[in-house]
Amino acid sequence: MSIEISNVTKRFGDFVALDDVSVSLPTGQLTALLGPSGGGKSTLLRIVAGLEKADTGRVTIEGVDATRMSPQKRNVGFVFQHYAVFKHMSVAKNVAFGLEIRRKNKDEVRARVDELLKLVHLTQFADRLPSQLSGGQRQRMALARALAVQPKVLLLDEPFGALDAKVRKELREWLRRLHDEVPVTTVFVTHDQEEAMEVADEIVVINDGRIEQVGRPDQLYDRPANDFVMGFLGDVTQLGEVRLRPHDIEIALTPDLAGSVPGDVLRLTRIGFEVRLVVGTEDGREVSVVTTRAHARSLELDAGDRVWITPSSGASTVPAMKSLLAG
């Protein structure tokens, strides 16, 4: 394993940011730390980087105990959400900075900078100032600068959070391709479920300073460990005593399937190829259901229709919490 985090606890006054966290992050993998704001994911990343000190516990990087090691000696690259660029330096000088302070020879620095600018598609902007770049280009420059010193580990703290949705999507696709070309062990923090599912090899779900579940995106989505993981990774509704995803509910005009629950279509919205419905059941609940436009047309569904709903075969479910059942 590239990074081993063992029994790490971190408090800020009375607030427990991390509570006895242990997790292994494999070598060469792109891992997402995913969770809500304040859940502890950025604190964990900063402890790995050496920018924060854990109150208790240990951090091992590539077999070396880095718990008390300074950030400079950990050989990690760190990219912040807000670039942290040197505004008065050109793009090329920004990328070269880490190499120059390590007193690499000029030819080596020039070759490495040229290689990285080509990799991040910024060769033509080498002599520009950061202010002359778009937000996405500045973030690519920041990634090139972090990679320049050939770190063992690349740490990204919500690297695309300050960008608009279209640029974020383009950059996360680019990051995935970049990682495939330069397979450095990468850990990135995000609260964006789609970003984590699309980019990461593995996801660590963190909430209230604790790890809820670790696994591949499909494992977490299809086999969530608990109600929190299921709800954080996608839309969830409740049918009877289970929580499940709206697209995992079968809808019919007759009670053909065992366990079908009767209800009435309260609302129906067509969005592209899918139809989203809210079905009011006899126990007073409103159940969200998602079906295809073709299926909705075949049933001629409309608001006010009487329907029967039941979990699909193989649907991922978790028991509903008592507080939800009482609600």
Side-chain angles (χ1 to χ4, degrees):
M1 294 293 177
S2 180
I3 304 172
E4 291 280 350
I5 298 160
S6 306
N7 307 111
V8 165
T9 295
K10 178 66 178 178
R11 292 180 175 85
F12 296 98
D14 294 332
F15 176 69
V16 180
L18 296 171
D19 186 7
D20 195 30
V21 167
S22 296
V23 66
S24 298
L25 308 178
T27 298
Q29 187 166 275
L30 203 163
T31 302
L33 304 182
L34 174 67
S37 297
K41 54 193 186 297
S42 288
T43 300
L44 183 58
L45 195 77
R46 291 175 67 84
I47 286 173
V48 172
L51 301 176
E52 297 279 359
K53 293 187 181 299
D55 297 329
T56 61
R58 186 174 67 176
V59 175
T60 303
I61 300 176
E62 296 286 356
V64 177
D65 188 346
T67 309
R68 294 175 177 81
M69 195 179 288
S70 68
Q72 293 80 7
K73 293 182 178 179
R74 295 191 185 202
N75 194 18
V76 300
F78 203 102
V79 178
F80 297 91
Q81 178 176 336
H82 293 288
Y83 321 125
V85 299
F86 300 111
K87 297 179 181 179
H88 64 288
M89 293 183 182
S90 69
V91 169
K93 280 290 187 181
N94 264 277
V95 175
F97 179 79
L99 296 168
E100 291 176 341
I101 63 173
R102 286 166 173 78
R103 299 187 178 180
K104 302 291 184 181
N105 71 64
K106 290 183 178 180
D107 289 340
E108 183 181 349
V109 171
R110 189 181 302 110
R112 180 69 175 154
V113 170
D114 288 347
E115 176 189 359
L116 285 166
L117 291 179
K118 182 178 180 181
L119 185 68
V120 301
H121 308 297
L122 291 177
T123 300
Q124 67 272 39
F125 303 113
D127 297 323
R128 291 194 184 183
L129 293 173
S131 61
Q132 297 174 299
L133 302 181
S134 69
Q137 289 167 341
R138 284 197 294 271
Q139 196 59 288
R140 297 209 308 269
M141 181 192 70
L143 282 162
R145 188 177 62 183
L147 288 169
V149 296
Q150 297 179 304
K152 293 178 182 177
V153 175
L154 180 62
L155 306 176
L156 313 175
D157 191 5
E158 302 219 34
F160 310 137
L163 305 171
D164 65 52
K166 184 176 185 295
V167 176
R168 277 204 312 272
K169 182 171 177 58
E170 291 171 354
L171 274 182
R172 67 189 186 219
E173 291 171 354
W174 173 82
L175 177 62
R176 181 67 252 185
R177 292 194 301 271
L178 176 68
H179 183 267
D180 291 340
E181 293 179 35
V182 187
V184 61
T185 302
T186 303
V187 185
F188 75 101
V189 162
T190 182
H191 62 267
D192 186 320
Q193 302 90 330
E194 184 178 337
E195 185 170 278
M197 299 280 284
E198 183 176 336
V199 175
D201 298 308
E202 186 170 80
I203 298 173
V204 179
V205 181
I206 302 177
N207 181 42
D208 287 338
R210 299 182 182 90
I211 292 178
E212 299 281 355
Q213 190 174 358
V214 180
R216 298 192 313 271
D218 58 340
Q219 289 175 325
L220 269 60
Y221 191 85
D222 294 336
R223 296 188 294 281
N226 53 42
D227 187 77
F228 174 82
V229 175
M230 178 174 238
F232 200 75
L233 287 180
D235 292 336
V236 179
T237 193
Q238 186 175 326
L239 179 57
E241 297 188 359
V242 298
R243 301 261 286 166
L244 72 170
R245 304 201 184 281
H247 60 73
D248 278 337
I249 296 177
E250 298 283 355
I251 186 167
L253 299 178
T254 56
D256 294 335
L257 298 174
S260 292
V261 175
D264 299 306
V265 177
L266 303 179
R267 294 186 295 279
L268 182 149
T269 307
R270 297 179 177 88
I271 301 177
F273 66 88
E274 69 181 24
V275 175
R276 302 175 187 176
L277 304 101
V278 176
V279 177
T281 56
E282 293 178 346
D283 60 1
R285 295 197 174 279
E286 293 190 358
V287 181
S288 297
V289 181
V290 174
T291 189
T292 65
R293 183 175 59 179
H295 186 54
R297 281 178 173 174
S298 70
L299 298 178
E300 298 182 346
L301 290 175
D302 208 343
D305 287 349
R306 187 69 166 178
V307 294
W308 277 259
I309 53 178
T310 189
S312 303
S313 175
S316 299
T317 64
V318 296
M321 296 183 292
K322 289 183 179 179
S323 60
L324 290 169
L325 286 170

